[in-house]
Amino acid sequence: MDQHHSINYLEIPVKDIIATKAFFTQVFAWQFQDYGPQYSCFLRVGIDGGFYQSDSQFTLAKGSPLIVLYSQDLSATEAKIIQSGGQITKAIFSFPGGRRFHFTDINGNEYGVWSE
């Protein structure tokens, strides 16, 4: 059952659906359900959502919220991101409660990854 007034779904703009799915599968082992050539849902990743075809991209510099993913091994995740065509935009740093870094995916969208 969905929780009343909770964040329930997230839609992310991407330039290339197929390449985006490959990137998130290689780095984070995500699975997808396609709904036509311009939309794909990501499944069982902590929140429901999907990627939709768009020329838009989001970054913190543009005032976008930061989507933060969790990793048990920051260094291994960072290496997979680089190997899969992503770019590190902010190196690993400490904050109260853990460490994190920021990266852009192959579309130029900015995310964070954190760990204890």
Side-chain angles (χ1 to χ4, degrees), residues 46-61:
I47 188 170
D48 292 335
F51 294 119
Y52 66 93
Q53 189 78 42
S54 174
D55 288 331
S56 299
Q57 60 184 190
F58 59 88
T59 64
L60 291 177

Side-chain angles (χ1 to χ4, degrees), residues 68-93:
V68 181
L69 307 164
Y70 176 77
S71 173
Q72 293 179 340
D73 185 341
L74 280 184
S75 296
T77 300
E78 183 180 50
K80 283 184 179 181
I81 288 167
I82 293 166
Q83 291 168 355
S84 298
Q87 295 186 6
I88 304 306
T89 57
K90 189 169 187 178
I92 294 174
F93 64 95

Side-chain angles (χ1 to χ4, degrees), residues 95-116:
F95 66 94
R99 300 180 325 133
R100 81 176 195 210
F101 66 89
H102 296 183
F103 73 94
T104 53
D105 69 4
I106 57 169
N107 301 285
N109 292 333
E110 186 173 11
Y111 300 83
V113 180
W114 85 281
S115 189
E116 290 88 1

